[in-house]
Amino acid sequence: MYSVKQPSKIIFGENSLENYKFPENCLVISSSGAKKRGWLDFKFVKNSHIFDNVESNPSIETVQDILEEFTNSNFSHVIGLGGGSVMDVAKFVGLKLNKKKITIPTIFGSGSEVTRISVLKVAKKKQSFHDDKIFADVAIIDPTFMKSTPKKIINDAIVDSCAQSTEAYDSKNSNMYTKFLCKAGFDNIEKGLMESNNEKIIFGTLLTGLGFGNASTTLGHALSYVFSNEGF
């Protein structure tokens, strides 16, 4: 027997952001990179509380800074707008504040938008937090962001997603469903690259996130923690 878990609502497709009706009171968590690319200029961001200083490989101190600054502010949702680091922080903040969570990946590959995992540095070492309450309530995957993302960042994210799909496929925690998701994810990424089709690539990374999020990664990602903790 096995079960598969995911956010209660996943929205996928070009211009998904424009067609989604965002709540009025939100805390938007993002990064300086997103700000530079103009991604904080969306209409739903302008009337929100904003924290735009999430670092790569974020620390638990960043979460604490956000909690200290915004705990007494009036908002109903926490929105993570950015890459995997941003979404990991946003999901954890939402958990701590007991707020609804919306994840919007601007870089496609981490799969964080659809997982029950937040990876944060505690005492300068990466630690994974796993909890069903970490899941986003809504994940919005809009390929529009890929058009303005630097090629190197896209390539790095794709490699990450491919590694996740192959590791999770072979994981001892995998099952028929997760294997299907991982294989379909890898195949869509491959076809997307061959056809220069961004939507297929991004759909593939979404499927991979759902696959490894329910099966776990293996040695490759475990080793990455060691290298990251050593500053590589």
Side-chain angles (χ1 to χ4, degrees):
M1 183 179 124
Y2 56 83
S3 63
V4 173
K5 300 177 181 180
Q6 63 184 51
S8 55
K9 190 169 188 178
I10 299 173
I11 302 170
F12 179 90
E14 196 83 22
N15 300 317
S16 297
L17 284 182
E18 292 183 9
N19 296 320
Y20 184 74
K21 187 175 181 180
F22 284 89
E24 292 186 4
N25 298 318
C26 297
L27 167 61
V28 176
I29 296 176
S30 195
S31 65
S32 59
K35 185 176 182 180
K36 288 177 185 176
R37 297 183 186 102
W39 293 338
L40 298 185
D41 295 332
F42 287 106
K43 186 177 180 180
F44 74 87
V45 176
K46 291 182 179 179
N47 298 320
S48 301
H49 302 279
I50 299 173
F51 182 91
D52 59 7
N53 200 30
V54 175
E55 72 276 30
S56 180
N57 296 316
S59 67
I60 194 69
E61 285 78 16
T62 299
V63 171
Q64 291 168 347
D65 289 344
I66 296 171
L67 295 178
E68 288 176 8
E69 184 173 351
F70 295 104
T71 292
N72 295 321
S73 299
N74 180 31
F75 58 90
S76 61
H77 290 67
V78 176
I79 299 176
L81 177 66
S85 294
V86 166
M87 290 185 288
D88 283 355
V89 169
K91 290 188 297 181
F92 204 76
V93 168
L95 169 70
K96 291 298 184 182
L97 294 178
N98 195 27
K99 302 289 187 180
K100 291 187 178 296
K101 301 173 288 295
I102 301 173
T103 48
I104 306 171
T106 59
I107 301 168
F108 306 96
S110 75
S112 180
E113 67 272 15
V114 292
T115 72
R116 60 191 290 278
I117 307 166
S118 284
V119 180
L120 302 167
K121 280 194 170 182
V122 179
K124 299 184 178 180
K125 294 186 182 295
K126 271 188 175 183
Q127 182 174 331
S128 294
F129 296 88
H130 300 248
D131 193 314
D132 286 355
K133 293 180 181 179
I134 289 177
F135 271 124
D137 295 277
V138 180
I140 304 174
I141 298 90
D142 190 333
T144 301
F145 290 107
M146 198 132 170
K147 297 174 183 176
S148 56
T149 302
K151 189 68 174 176
K152 185 182 184 305
I153 293 177
I154 293 173
N155 291 343
D156 289 347
I158 289 173
V159 169
D160 187 25
S161 188
C162 288
Q164 289 166 346
S165 69
T166 54
E167 289 177 40
Y169 187 91
D170 290 330
S171 169
K172 65 181 181 181
N173 296 323
S174 65
N175 54 59
M176 291 171 60
Y177 194 10
T178 61
K179 285 181 182 293
F180 167 77
L181 289 168
C182 290
K183 185 178 186 305
F186 191 96
D187 289 346
N188 271 275
I189 292 171
E190 181 181 28
K191 289 177 183 177
L193 288 172
M194 297 295 290
E195 300 169 6
S196 298
N197 185 320
N198 287 343
E199 191 165 271
K200 280 187 180 179
I201 294 171
I202 295 165
F203 184 57
T205 65
L206 168 61
L207 294 178
T208 293
L210 291 169
F212 92 81
N214 283 280
S216 82
T217 51
T218 53
L219 182 60
H221 272 70
L223 286 173
S224 75
Y225 281 42
V226 177
F227 286 119
S228 179
N229 290 340
E230 293 299 323
F232 292 102

